[in-house]
Amino acid sequence: MKITAGYSRLKKLTNLLGPFIGLILVISIFSLMPEVSGRFLRLANLTSVATQSVIVALSALGMTLIIISGGIDLSAASNLALSCVLVAYSINLGLSPLLAALIGLVAGGLIGLANGLLITRLRLVPFIVTLGMMGIARGIAKWVARNQKIDAPLTWLNDLMVRTPHPSWLLLSPGIWLMIFLSIIMAVVLKKTVFGRRVVAIGSNELTARLCGIRTDRIKIIVYTISGLFCGLAGVMEFSRLTVGDPTVAMGLELDIIAAVVIGGGSLSGGEGSISGTLIGVFIMAFLRNGCTMMGWPNYFQEIIIGAIIIIAVALDRLRHRQD
Amino acid sequence: MSETPLLSLKKICKSFGPNLILDRVDFELRSGEVRALIGENGAGKSTLIKILSGAYHPDSGQMFISGFPYRPTGPLDGRRQGIAVIYQELNLAPHLTVEENIYLGQEESRFGFMEKKKKRLKVRELLEFLHHPEIQPGSLVKNLPVGARQVVEIIRALISQAKILVMDEPTSSLSQEDTKRLFEVIHKVKAEGVGVIYVSHFLEEVKEIADSFTVLRDGQVVGSGEMAGVSLEELIEMMIGKKLSELYPHFPHRPGEVVMSCQQVQGKKMTGAISLELREGEILGVAGLIGSGRTEFLRTIFGLDRLKEGLVIISGSLVSRLQPGTAINRGLGFLSEDRQTEGLAARMSLADNLTLGYLKPYVKNGLLNNQRQKQAASDWINRLKIKAQSPEQKIWTLSGGNQQKVALARLLHQQAKVFLLDEPTRGIDVQSKTQIYELIGRLAADNRAVIFVSSYFPELLGIGDRIAVFHRGQLVEIKPAADWTEASLMRAAITGKENNSEKNKKVIGANL
């Protein structure tokens, strides 16, 4: 028994190791480039990358849950934009920043709930429902904002994403702490709770899950709602960073979010994925963007590299699976 | 026997990868003899047939026809050298006529116009000879019933001067009437000096038609001889390698209180309503054809299909809001007939698959204790003798029999009182089957109740206390297993009529 337990622990390690090696590779390549090596690994740059990652990472936490359950959420980025706009709008109405943030959060949750209800009640494919919701949420965001940026007075909300935190003992911006804290919570939820196990079961084989007495519809609705809440939160962070409510923000970001999950070992057919893997996926993309920008490489170059990495990551993942 | 046998195989071996499928198989067939080749699924019968036909080449060993070495280069060459195989799924072109099919690929078809009359005459002659004059040489094969198509195949074999006819499960899709007529044909063919190798599961028929037998088990010949000197039971025991009494082990149990009562239960997918009662410590077998509503009945009771009408009462109290979750809480356990797509989550671990229905014991302060979950799974692995390396092994890496044991262990683990088992022994090896029969027997002895749905009547007769027969969504009859025979079960399942006529002697495992 001891040997097999050790063996499986080793296997889990190698499952994470793949994406992790990729991350190390990206970091070391850039830190060896003579043009940027002096600046790349500096603390200021690292915190800058981390801050940039917060928004994608928060949405990706929810997306990980959805992808493990065998679904997908294409409305994530639109949802985020809607939340961002609503926060700015609420502050302009004279509401307190806290209340404004809550409104953004709840709006995200409601969009997620709507996704979950449509998918389970109408028995529609998640791809289609969330594709529709992608347009609806983006449209509402533009409607609320009258198709332009909403300027809002600065409040403490805008301190959440600064690179140098206000009370300096915080070391990192509140947004990064929030990301770390919620990641740990989600990792525990996924690995150590009955709910997490049920999500994996649904993604692995929904019929079996039903056979085992799991109320699959209810779990799915919860999963989409949680993911919506994370998008709402990411929208609040987006507002914090931009200081305005921009309805066109995060266009196409849903694909980055999905890519992060997939690079981190998530399987689009469900049943597989992990929070730690997803975070590594987020950081691989963030460091790549950052490094390419510092090198002065054009934008299209980044896109090509990231595209290639997604394909390589998934190909390596399949290869690894064939071995077990 | 001094005469040279028509066909003789000496020490034929064949393996695929590491699996030895045929192990030094000896086989003999005399002219004018019908020899039955019997064995369980996976015993090596099909491989042997394919070697005979020339489709496979043996790894070692020799074959002789009438004393001359027989080394076919392929199925066509095999056919030329006199071996005709009639497969279960017949090899006829449906859009050609009977006559065209018979001469398809034969040398004679090269002759021109003049021969046509002669050919037709010959077909007519053979049809008369085989007592099937009603078949028209000019009619399209797709318009013929299955029995007639078989005759066409046989004539095709005779015309090609086949000396050896191999028939693979020829009666599996024939009615009793057609089977009888096929046997007459076989008698005629045999009188012509053709040797027939008859492969079948239906031992009663085999006993009737064959002169001799060869039994394969795990790729080896475990018995052969004259049919006259052997009983049905002996044949079965040779096939399974066990005493019949060991195959269906008996654990003393006595039915007690009614534990589940179904009243006029009709589910969304059921065509009729079913009422029945199940007692503690009772094994209720359910027989019926596919589509008779047996599976739908179980799924409805378990809450997988919506209950349209009727009541399900467990331990005296009504189950409201019938869903799998509530059914499990009330002590029901359901085993799906489809292990691959429904029963198990292939990519999840053995431990997860086993405990998924009942994770409560491993939760403390809202957190799962994975270690205890694995420990519990290990216990079940040992108790049910599941062959697995670790509880963390992915389920798809296990063999079918072991997968099924995990699926059953799940029900035991969730402490079910009423087991609804849909085809629990389908597609698994004999040893696992026996272990599952044993498990069911132990459950009854432990005062739990079992509904056991199966298409395979001998096992229902072997372990059931009572047997219910379903037909087109209706319960035809329910009575003690001892009052049923395989034949009466079959009749009730097909016709849907009760049969309170003759009390046949019970024959266990007759068409294993």
Side-chain angles (χ1 to χ4, degrees):
Chain A
M1 279 316 291
K2 218 167 200 166
I3 296 167
T4 56
Y7 171 73
S8 71
R9 210 166 296 148
L10 189 79
K11 203 157 195 180
K12 254 179 216 155
L13 204 65
T14 56
N15 275 352
L16 250 189
L17 221 55
F20 193 66
I21 288 171
L23 181 60
I24 299 294
L25 213 64
V26 168
I27 293 177
S28 42
I29 286 173
F30 282 112
S31 42
L32 289 178
M33 294 274 187
E35 296 95 324
V36 296
S37 61
R39 294 173 290 151
F40 190 73
L41 275 183
R42 242 197 255 147
L43 193 67
N45 189 48
L46 293 184
T47 54
S48 155
V49 169
T51 313
Q52 283 163 16
S53 309
V54 169
I55 290 161
V56 174
L58 286 176
S59 330
L61 292 180
M63 187 70 82
T64 307
L65 212 54
I66 289 189
I67 286 183
I68 290 176
S69 81
I72 195 143
D73 183 3
L74 297 179
S75 66
S78 303
N79 192 351
L80 183 162
L82 175 60
S83 158
C84 174
V85 165
L86 283 175
V87 175
Y89 187 82
S90 307
I91 288 177
N92 274 348
L93 282 182
L95 300 180
S96 75
L98 185 65
L99 196 57
L102 274 177
I103 287 174
L105 195 66
V106 169
L110 286 176
I111 296 280
L113 178 66
N115 278 335
L117 286 172
L118 287 169
I119 289 165
T120 53
R121 293 287 178 266
L122 299 183
R123 304 257 156 241
L124 294 175
V125 198
F127 188 94
I128 300 299
V129 169
T130 60
L131 183 65
M133 195 56 78
M134 175 169 119
I136 294 172
R138 182 71 69 181
I140 297 177
K142 287 178 180 171
W143 185 13
V144 169
R146 310 231 159 118
N147 227 351
Q148 55 196 352
K149 290 192 178 97
I150 300 183
D151 290 311
L154 286 180
T155 63
W156 58 263
L157 272 183
N158 302 103
D159 294 336
L160 292 176
M161 294 285 279
V162 289
R163 281 183 210 168
T164 45
H166 181 45
S168 56
W169 52 265
L170 267 178
L171 295 174
L172 300 167
S173 72
I176 297 179
W177 286 118
L178 195 62
M179 171 181 81
I180 294 172
F181 175 70
L182 289 175
S183 300
I184 294 171
I185 298 272
M186 287 308 287
V188 171
V189 164
L190 202 54
K191 289 275 177 249
K192 298 286 277 181
T193 65
V194 174
F195 171 76
R197 203 54 59 88
R198 288 181 173 164
V199 172
V200 177
I202 290 174
S204 188
N205 187 340
E206 195 172 339
L207 293 172
T208 310
R210 215 161 103 71
L211 210 64
C212 291
I214 296 172
R215 297 164 102 174
T216 53
D217 284 358
R218 180 187 281 190
I219 301 274
K220 280 194 207 166
I221 292 171
I222 296 175
V223 163
Y224 280 90
T225 307
I226 289 177
S227 176
L229 285 170
F230 273 110
C231 292
L233 187 59
V236 175
M237 292 299 153
E238 188 75 88
F239 168 77
S240 167
R241 193 171 69 94
L242 295 175
T243 69
V244 294
D246 180 359
T248 60
V249 80
M251 280 284 192
L253 194 74
E254 62 275 350
L255 297 182
D256 275 14
I257 298 167
I258 294 167
V261 178
V262 171
I263 291 175
S267 158
L268 287 185
S269 50
E272 279 165 54
S274 68
I275 296 295
S276 42
T278 296
L279 287 181
I280 290 174
V282 169
F283 282 116
I284 286 180
M285 292 202 293
F287 273 112
L288 263 176
R289 289 239 157 80
N290 174 261
C292 291
T293 314
M294 285 176 105
M295 291 291 295
W297 288 342
N299 210 2
Y300 51 78
F301 205 63
Q302 299 176 21
E303 288 173 20
I304 293 173
I305 293 179
I306 288 179
I309 287 201
I310 293 173
I311 295 174
I312 293 170
V314 176
L316 286 178
D317 196 49
R318 290 294 154 268
L319 214 68
R320 206 171 56 223
H321 271 178
R322 219 170 296 159
Q323 283 167 353
D324 347 305
Chain B
M1 229 17 85
S2 57
E3 59 170 320
T4 330
L6 177 59
L7 173 76
S8 105
L9 308 190
K10 296 226 157 77
K11 292 200 172 28
I12 295 291
C13 292
K14 177 76 187 171
S15 43
F16 293 107
N19 303 323
L20 190 59
I21 304 295
L22 293 177
D23 185 10
R24 284 161 293 164
V25 169
D26 290 332
F27 188 91
E28 250 178 37
L29 180 71
R30 294 183 304 268
S31 146
E33 176 188 41
V34 178
R35 180 173 283 268
L37 177 62
I38 51 186
E40 288 233 301
N41 285 336
K45 290 173 299 181
S46 328
T47 309
L48 190 62
I49 294 174
K50 290 202 168 120
I51 284 178
L52 268 174
S53 73
Y56 290 163
H57 299 287
D59 295 338
S60 61
Q62 293 159 301
M63 302 194 274
F64 301 92
I65 293 180
S66 310
F68 296 102
Y70 166 64
R71 291 191 208 93
T73 56
L76 207 63
D77 189 38
R79 188 128 202 174
R80 270 194 206 114
Q81 299 199 44
I83 295 194
V85 184
I86 300 177
Y87 288 104
Q88 223 168 327
E89 61 286 4
L90 300 174
N91 263 323
L92 295 172
H95 298 285
L96 297 182
T97 63
V98 169
E99 193 184 343
E100 283 164 339
N101 264 292
I102 287 173
Y103 285 101
L104 203 64
Q106 312 267 341
E107 304 300 307
E108 275 181 76
S109 63
R110 278 204 228 117
F111 300 141
F113 186 72
M114 285 298 287
E115 297 293 320
K116 202 156 185 180
K117 238 185 193 162
K118 212 169 134 191
K119 285 199 312 196
R120 178 153 293 189
L121 217 65
K122 201 165 171 191
V123 171
R124 279 248 159 83
E125 196 180 297
L126 281 165
L127 282 168
E128 290 278 342
F129 170 68
L130 296 177
H131 296 304
H132 277 272
E134 81 285 359
I135 301 174
Q136 292 300 319
S139 53
L140 292 182
V141 161
K142 65 172 180 180
N143 299 331
L144 295 182
V146 190
R149 292 186 203 187
Q150 226 149 24
V151 173
V152 174
E153 280 252 26
I154 292 170
I155 292 181
R156 182 165 147 188
L158 291 179
I159 291 222
S160 68
Q161 315 262 294
K163 288 170 271 186
I164 295 156
L165 196 57
V166 184
M167 307 185 79
D168 188 9
E169 295 285 356
T171 60
S172 58
S173 46
L174 293 190
S175 68
Q176 254 175 336
E177 181 62 22
D178 282 337
T179 302
K180 218 175 257 170
R181 294 187 73 184
L182 176 72
F183 284 179
E184 283 169 26
V185 171
I186 292 176
H187 280 298
K188 286 274 182 187
V189 168
K190 166 179 152 171
E192 293 294 291
V194 173
V196 178
I197 300 174
Y198 188 93
V199 184
S200 179
H201 268 109
F202 299 104
L203 292 188
E204 279 168 333
E205 286 173 16
V206 162
K207 195 101 183 45
E208 186 183 332
I209 188 69
D211 307 306
S212 56
F213 66 91
T214 297
V215 183
L216 280 181
R217 189 175 73 233
D218 298 330
Q220 289 179 327
V221 174
V222 290
S224 66
E226 297 302 309
M227 205 47 109
V230 69
S231 74
L232 220 49
E233 283 75 13
E234 285 167 327
L235 283 179
I236 297 169
E237 286 173 358
M238 275 184 239
M239 278 167 67
I240 61 177
K242 278 196 173 71
K243 291 272 169 222
L244 266 181
S245 53
E246 291 170 37
L247 181 63
Y248 301 117
H250 189 74
F251 293 86
H253 57 271
R254 182 174 297 137
E257 299 284 301
V258 171
V259 63
M260 182 175 78
S261 155
C262 301
Q263 296 173 9
Q264 293 297 314
V265 165
Q266 184 167 11
K268 200 176 72 181
K269 294 178 188 155
M270 288 167 68
T271 51
I274 303 267
S275 300
L276 55 79
E277 283 187 340
L278 185 67
R279 295 176 177 275
E280 286 177 346
E282 182 184 39
I283 304 170
L284 172 67
V286 174
L289 304 176
I290 291 166
S292 61
R294 4 166 256 193
T295 295
E296 291 75 10
F297 174 64
L298 291 194
R299 297 183 75 88
T300 305
I301 308 178
F302 191 66
L304 282 165
D305 288 353
R306 203 165 49 78
L307 179 73
K308 264 199 330 204
E309 262 169 66
L311 306 173
V312 178
I313 297 162
I314 296 171
S315 308
S317 69
L318 183 72
V319 187
S320 53
R321 286 185 60 91
L322 205 50
Q323 288 181 341
T326 48
I328 290 173
N329 289 338
R330 297 298 300 272
L332 293 187
F334 174 73
L335 182 88
S336 169
E337 65 176 329
D338 191 344
R339 179 170 70 237
Q340 306 290 346
T341 61
E342 180 174 50
L344 296 165
R347 299 206 73 95
M348 284 185 98
S349 71
L350 194 160
D352 276 335
N353 267 291
L354 207 155
T355 54
L356 203 52
Y358 186 58
L359 286 168
K360 220 185 273 167
Y362 315 110
V363 182
K364 205 177 172 188
N365 303 326
L367 296 183
L368 268 174
N369 185 334
N370 292 344
Q371 218 44 54
R372 280 184 44 208
Q373 187 198 2
K374 273 178 233 156
Q375 192 50 52
S378 299
D379 290 349
W380 284 108
I381 289 175
N382 294 334
R383 272 158 87 173
L384 296 191
K385 301 190 187 87
I386 298 169
K387 278 186 200 134
Q389 284 138 27
S390 108
E392 291 182 66
Q393 203 175 344
K394 296 267 187 285
I395 207 79
W396 62 270
T397 58
L398 302 182
S399 75
N402 286 302
Q403 287 183 9
Q404 193 69 316
K405 285 194 216 163
V406 174
L408 272 167
R410 180 196 290 153
L411 310 190
L412 292 166
H413 174 263
Q414 69 200 26
Q415 299 173 350
K417 288 182 298 187
V418 177
F419 288 72
L420 312 171
L421 310 179
D422 198 357
E423 297 278 9
T425 61
R426 180 192 279 171
I428 61 178
D429 56 295
V430 190
Q431 201 189 350
S432 301
K433 266 187 198 174
T434 323
Q435 286 168 347
I436 285 173
Y437 297 143
E438 190 182 316
L439 182 67
I440 294 173
R442 282 185 197 280
L443 285 176
D446 191 31
N447 249 346
R448 304 201 229 186
V450 180
I451 295 187
F452 178 32
V453 166
S454 173
S455 304
Y456 181 52
F457 299 152
E459 67 181 12
L460 291 177
L461 292 164
I463 66 167
D465 298 318
R466 283 189 301 158
I467 298 176
V469 178
F470 282 25
H471 175 77
R472 301 208 175 156
Q474 303 286 348
L475 175 65
V476 180
E477 202 178 0
I478 185 164
K479 61 184 181 185
D483 296 345
W484 288 103
T485 63
E486 246 187 275
S488 66
L489 279 175
M490 182 56 97
R491 201 173 321 129
I494 290 175
T495 63
K497 287 188 189 119
E498 294 186 28
N499 39 70
N500 25 27
S501 53
E502 87 276 45
K503 288 216 164 179
N504 287 340
K505 211 187 101 224
K506 180 173 154 190
V507 181
I508 308 170
N511 67 8
L512 212 127

